[in-house]
Amino acid sequence: MAGSSVEIYPRHEPRTGCTVLVVEDEVLVRMMIADQLRIAGYTVIEAADAHEASQVLQHSADVRLVISDIQLPGSMDGVALARLIRSQYPDTKVILTSGHLAESDRADHDGFFHKPYDVSKIMRHIKSLLV
Amino acid sequence: VTDKTAAQETILVVEDDVLVRMPIAQYLRDCGYKVIEAVSADEAIAVLSHQETVVDVVFSDIEMPGSIDGFGLAKWIREHRPGLDVVLAGTVPRTVECAKELCDAGSVPKPYEAQAVHNHIRRLLAARRAKPSI
C-alpha cells in the first residue's frame, strides 16, 4: 500500500558524469532501464518518442549515448533518430533495440539488442562504450 | 538540496513536455527522491497499476494529450488509489481553482519554481508521515 511500506532501494554507484538518453514508449520498460542506468551512476534523461529525444539533444549538449527502441509512435522511428544523431551529433553513441531482429541493419549504430533483452548485457555494453 | 529523509519516497511526475519534465524530475532526484516519469495520464495509470511499483506522491500537469487529462488522472487516483497524494500543476486560473477540489494542499500554478514544487511535496510527505499507517 502506498506510503505504508518501506522499499529498500539498491545502493547507487557514484555518478559517472555521463548522460544517457533513453528513448522508449513503453513506460514500464523505460522505467526499468532508466532505473538500472541510474543505479550504475549515469545521469539519465527519458524520452517517450523520437521527437522528444531530438528536443532533448538540441537542449542538452552533454548526451554521450542514446539507447532507443526502433518502433516508436509519431513521424520519426528509432532508425530515423539514429540517422539524425549520426549526422548532427557524431560523437554521441547509439544503441538500438527492437523486437524484430531483421531491423538491426536498417541504421548505423553502436549496438543492437533484440527484445526482450538482457539488461545486464546492455549495461556491460554501455559501460564499454563510455570508457 | 539533498534530503536524506526523502531517499525512500517516490514521486511520479506526469508531464507531456519533455523540456518541462526533464528539469523538474532531475531537481527532485537531486533532492533525494526516487522519480518516475510519465508523459501522459495513460502512462501514469500504467505505472500506478503495476503492483510492484510504490508511489508516494503524484505531481501532474493538468493539460495533457491522451484519453484523459490531469483532472481525469486525479479522479482515477481518488477512485483506485485513495491513499495517494496528488499535486496538480496548471496555467489556466479556472482549472487551477478546480484543482483545489481534487488534489491535496492546493495546486501549483505554472510556470513553477522547482523549489516551490519541492516545498509543496515535502509538506505533503511530512503530513503523510504524521498519519498512522493504513
Side-chain angles (χ1 to χ4, degrees):
Chain A
M1 185 170 291
S4 60
S5 60
V6 176
E7 187 169 327
I8 305 301
Y9 292 103
R11 199 173 73 84
H12 286 227
E13 296 297 322
R15 289 227 179 146
T16 63
C18 293
T19 298
V20 175
L21 171 58
V22 175
V23 192
E24 168 64 58
D25 61 316
E26 286 288 334
V27 63
L28 297 179
V29 176
R30 190 174 71 237
M31 183 173 75
M32 178 271 297
I33 189 76
D35 263 2
Q36 292 300 313
L37 286 163
R38 289 190 183 104
I39 289 166
Y42 297 103
T43 297
V44 181
I45 301 172
E46 300 180 36
D49 56 37
H51 176 67
E52 279 201 349
S54 66
Q55 281 186 287
V56 169
L57 288 165
Q58 282 172 36
H59 289 84
S60 305
D62 59 346
V63 173
R64 295 274 312 278
L65 184 145
V66 177
I67 175 166
S68 176
D69 191 15
I70 288 181
Q71 287 83 33
L72 293 169
S75 57
M76 196 192 296
D77 66 2
V79 170
L81 178 64
R83 288 176 183 149
L84 180 143
I85 292 167
R86 279 290 189 260
S87 65
Q88 295 186 25
Y89 310 94
D91 294 334
T92 302
K93 306 288 186 191
V94 180
I95 293 175
L96 294 175
T97 66
S98 173
H100 304 286
L101 266 176
E103 294 192 309
S104 64
D105 57 358
R106 283 183 57 209
D108 188 24
H109 54 70
D110 301 292
F112 175 86
F113 289 84
H114 184 223
K115 282 180 163 181
Y117 44 68
D118 181 339
V119 177
S120 61
K121 283 185 183 169
I122 290 193
M123 296 302 294
R124 280 198 297 275
H125 190 63
I126 289 174
K127 199 173 177 182
S128 71
L129 289 172
L130 295 180
V131 287
Chain B
V1 291
T2 300
D3 180 354
K4 296 287 183 190
T5 62
Q8 293 178 345
E9 286 163 328
T10 300
I11 315 296
L12 172 58
V13 172
V14 193
E15 168 63 56
D16 60 303
D17 184 340
V18 67
L19 298 181
V20 175
R21 188 177 72 244
M22 181 172 65
I24 188 64
Q26 191 54 49
Y27 183 89
L28 292 171
R29 284 188 189 102
D30 289 343
C31 290
Y33 299 102
K34 178 179 166 67
V35 177
I36 299 171
E37 297 180 38
V39 303
S40 64
D42 296 308
E43 277 203 355
I45 288 172
V47 170
L48 294 169
S49 301
H50 188 236
Q51 294 296 322
E52 295 166 24
T53 303
V54 176
V55 174
D56 296 289
V57 174
V58 177
F59 176 62
S60 176
D61 190 17
I62 292 172
E63 292 161 276
M64 289 186 293
S67 61
I68 58 172
D69 61 6
F71 288 140
L73 176 62
K75 285 175 183 164
W76 185 93
I77 290 169
R78 285 285 174 267
E79 188 175 338
H80 295 91
R81 297 286 297 271
L84 194 56
D85 291 320
V86 182
V87 181
L88 295 175
T91 50
V92 184
R94 186 183 61 81
T95 58
V96 171
E97 193 62 32
C98 292
K100 289 178 184 171
E101 297 171 14
L102 283 167
C103 62
D104 302 271
S107 57
V108 176
K110 287 175 88 174
Y112 46 67
E113 290 283 336
Q115 178 66 50
V117 174
H118 180 215
N119 288 341
H120 204 94
I121 288 171
R122 203 161 49 178
R123 280 196 298 274
L124 277 177
L125 288 170
R128 189 186 188 88
R129 283 187 216 107
K131 288 179 195 169
S133 295
I134 299 167

